[in-house]
Amino acid sequence: AQSVAQPEDQVNVAEGNPLTVKCTYSVSGNPYLFWYVQYPNRGLQFLLKYITGDNLVKGSYGFEAEFNKSQTSFHLKKPSALVSDSALYFCAVRDEGRDDKIIFGKGTRLHILP
Amino acid sequence: DVKVTQSSRYLVKRTGEKVFLECVQDMDHENMFWYRQDPGLGLRLIYFSYDVKMKEKGDIPEGYSVSREKKERFSLILESASTNQTSMYLCASSLGGVLNTEAFFGQGTRLTVV
């Protein structure tokens, strides 16, 4: 079965510094990978996805993520963090070779310090 | 704009009650999902439906059932609510087949069972 791991419960970054939120995955076929963000008392908002093609994908709010097949990773990055980026971030995976289920990680809380 | 609507933002129910959580999407999506979100556990898939009247168990189906009589509506049913089902419940939908991509989420229903 597919699975996704987010090894950090919380990440603290100073405003203006680059940020990285880590994600690794496990699937039997080709992965479809996603990042979502959740602000307090809100549903999940889609940020970006990797389906195929270029390993570096760009998404909303200046975020990007790099697909690394050999390391089975899909880390979320941003060159310069904003205080407003503080939120809960979820990585998710779908296994192309199986059904349409999308499985989520446990989430990483990102704190951007002013 | 894509829209997934959950019927209630907040619900309080008594132990033993039968509880219905309703979700409607207006995007003609084949797939619909019910997740529960708990601190430290992330999003866990309860049930998944890939077509009308079709359903598959997710990772934590015990104590829940679902109904999908129409393509746009996916209901989650707690047959006899218990306090350990107090949680945030999130509904989502996505396209199916080769076009399957990201899931779109509703705002969530915070259920408290007393």
Side-chain angles (χ1 to χ4, degrees):
Chain A
Q2 65 265 48
S3 65
V4 61
Q6 294 180 245
E8 301 153 319
D9 291 335
Q10 183 168 307
V11 171
N12 297 322
V13 177
E15 187 177 23
N17 282 2
L19 69 87
T20 298
V21 182
K22 295 179 180 177
C23 172
T24 58
Y25 65 89
S26 174
V27 295
S28 56
N30 290 323
Y32 290 0
L33 293 155
F34 311 93
W35 275 101
Y36 287 81
V37 60
Q38 186 181 38
Y39 298 101
N41 299 313
R42 303 290 298 275
L44 270 69
Q45 296 179 30
F46 170 73
L47 277 179
L48 51 80
K49 64 187 176 189
Y50 172 82
I51 303 297
T52 187
D54 196 347
N55 289 345
L56 184 65
V57 294
K58 295 186 184 296
S60 307
Y61 312 122
F63 284 94
E64 57 190 29
E66 186 167 12
F67 171 64
N68 187 318
K69 189 171 183 178
S70 63
Q71 296 185 4
T72 61
S73 67
F74 189 58
H75 300 332
L76 181 70
K77 300 181 180 183
K78 188 173 182 180
S80 178
L82 300 172
V83 172
S84 57
D85 293 330
S86 298
L88 187 56
Y89 290 81
F90 289 96
C91 183
V93 67
R94 183 200 148 210
D95 189 336
E96 183 198 25
R98 299 190 65 215
D99 50 34
D100 291 352
K101 288 179 189 173
I102 301 176
I103 301 301
F104 284 78
K106 293 185 177 181
T108 298
R109 189 162 296 281
L110 180 62
H111 287 287
I112 307 301
L113 309 171
Chain B
D1 257 3
V2 160
K3 197 161 186 183
V4 179
T5 303
Q6 294 183 232
S7 53
S8 305
R9 290 294 304 271
Y10 301 94
L11 273 179
V12 179
K13 296 292 182 180
R14 295 194 179 277
T15 300
E17 276 193 77
K18 190 169 186 176
V19 181
F20 293 86
L21 302 183
E22 307 287 347
C23 176
V24 177
Q25 51 96 1
D26 65 359
M27 298 159 286
D28 201 35
H29 283 172
E30 285 78 10
N31 300 323
M32 295 189 74
F33 308 81
W34 275 106
Y35 296 89
R36 65 177 278 178
Q37 182 180 7
D38 300 289
L41 298 177
L43 271 70
R44 292 179 291 168
L45 182 63
I46 304 172
Y47 267 98
F48 159 64
S49 170
Y50 53 92
D51 202 349
V52 174
K53 297 189 185 295
M54 306 305 288
K55 62 186 179 184
E56 280 192 23
K57 292 180 180 179
D59 296 323
I60 51 163
E62 296 79 18
Y64 303 94
S65 61
V66 290
S67 172
R68 194 165 179 203
E69 296 296 318
K70 294 184 178 181
K71 190 175 186 180
E72 68 270 19
R73 187 179 296 270
F74 193 36
S75 302
L76 180 70
I77 303 157
L78 287 66
E79 295 289 343
S80 177
S82 63
T83 54
N84 63 12
Q85 292 177 310
T86 292
S87 187
M88 170 70 89
Y89 289 87
L90 294 167
C91 176
S93 71
S94 73
L95 281 168
V98 295
L99 295 176
N100 181 285
T101 57
E102 69 269 24
F104 296 88
F105 280 82
Q107 290 292 81
T109 296
R110 187 167 294 281
L111 173 67
T112 302
V113 182
V114 298

